[in-house]
Amino acid sequence: QVQLQESGPGLVKPSETLSLTCTVSGGSISTYYWSWIRQPPGKGLEWIGYIYYTGSTNYNPSLKSRVTISVGTSRDELSLKLTSVTAADTAVYYCARALYLSGYWSLDYWGQGTLVTVSS
Amino acid sequence: AIQMTQSPSSLSASVGDRVTITCRASQVIRNDLGWYQQKPGKAPKLLIYAASNLQSGVPSRFSGSGSGTDFTLTISSLQPEDFATYYCLQDYNYPWTFGQGTKVEIK
């Protein structure tokens, strides 16, 4: 059973960089895509982007200038970095496995999410 | 970006009711659409992928249909554990975009 766990600081100051890690257990990062999604408190879901295990990425244009998704050195970790954060970046951040099978996508495994608050 | 519009935004229903939620895309997305269920304080859970394919382990009372721009999620007989918010997600092109959500509440 694949499990994902997000971790990182729960509080980030405005203009600083948000950094989160997603640890994957029960399976390998290899041969899959891995996505980040966020949800501001009380609001809907926003797709941030994804990374293939080889390192190729695809980002939401609304965040592209500020976001970096990478595979960790341990090979069972993914990371998300979002620079120059503002209060609008306050959200629960989720990592999820993006399965591409028979020409179709699905986000089939999700982490529990981690709340990041941007405040001084 | 493709806009996904769900309706209704919320609904009240009773256990045993048949519930239908719709999602409309601002352009044709073939059948590249998924449905996700989210309970308070929890991560979303995949119900349906490719518009009509039931994810493994999801009860058969959930079904999806549609193609092109109009899609439907149906719960044939609402159960107590189905009270949640439901989101559609188009993965036809980038950026992937979610509908605004439909909250299913107890009548």
Side-chain angles (χ1 to χ4, degrees), chain B residues 2-22:
Chain B
I2 296 175
Q3 304 298 317
M4 304 302 294
T5 303
Q6 284 183 236
S7 60
S9 296
S10 65
L11 65 90
S12 295
S14 300
V15 172
D17 284 353
R18 181 181 183 89
V19 169
T20 299
I21 299 168
T22 64

Side-chain angles (χ1 to χ4, degrees), chain B residues 27-67:
Chain B
Q27 66 182 73
V28 170
I29 60 169
R30 302 189 314 175
N31 60 340
D32 294 323
L33 182 114
W35 289 98
Y36 295 81
Q37 175 195 66
Q38 186 179 35
K39 297 181 179 179
K42 301 294 187 181
K45 171 188 173 183
L46 174 66
L47 299 176
I48 301 282
Y49 64 94
S52 61
N53 291 269
L54 193 68
Q55 172 69 354
S56 176
V58 174
S60 59
R61 62 181 180 272
F62 291 93
S63 64
S65 64
S67 184

Side-chain angles (χ1 to χ4, degrees), chain A residues 87-115:
Chain A
D89 295 310
T90 294
V92 175
Y93 286 77
Y94 296 100
C95 59
R97 190 176 80 172
L99 179 65
Y100 187 64
L101 189 64
S102 302
Y104 295 104
W105 289 99
S106 60
L107 297 170
D108 62 344
Y109 288 99
W110 293 66
Q112 65 187 29
T114 188
L115 174 64

Side-chain angles (χ1 to χ4, degrees), chain A residues 60-116:
Chain A
N60 191 323
S62 69
L63 299 169
K64 188 172 184 177
S65 64
R66 300 193 293 130
V67 69
T68 303
I69 299 174
S70 58
V71 174
T73 54
S74 69
R75 304 305 293 180
D76 64 353
E77 289 186 344
L78 313 158
S79 71
L80 170 72
K81 293 189 187 300
L82 186 65
T83 62
S84 305
V85 298
T86 70
D89 295 310
T90 294
V92 175
Y93 286 77
Y94 296 100
C95 59
R97 190 176 80 172
L99 179 65
Y100 187 64
L101 189 64
S102 302
Y104 295 104
W105 289 99
S106 60
L107 297 170
D108 62 344
Y109 288 99
W110 293 66
Q112 65 187 29
T114 188
L115 174 64
V116 179

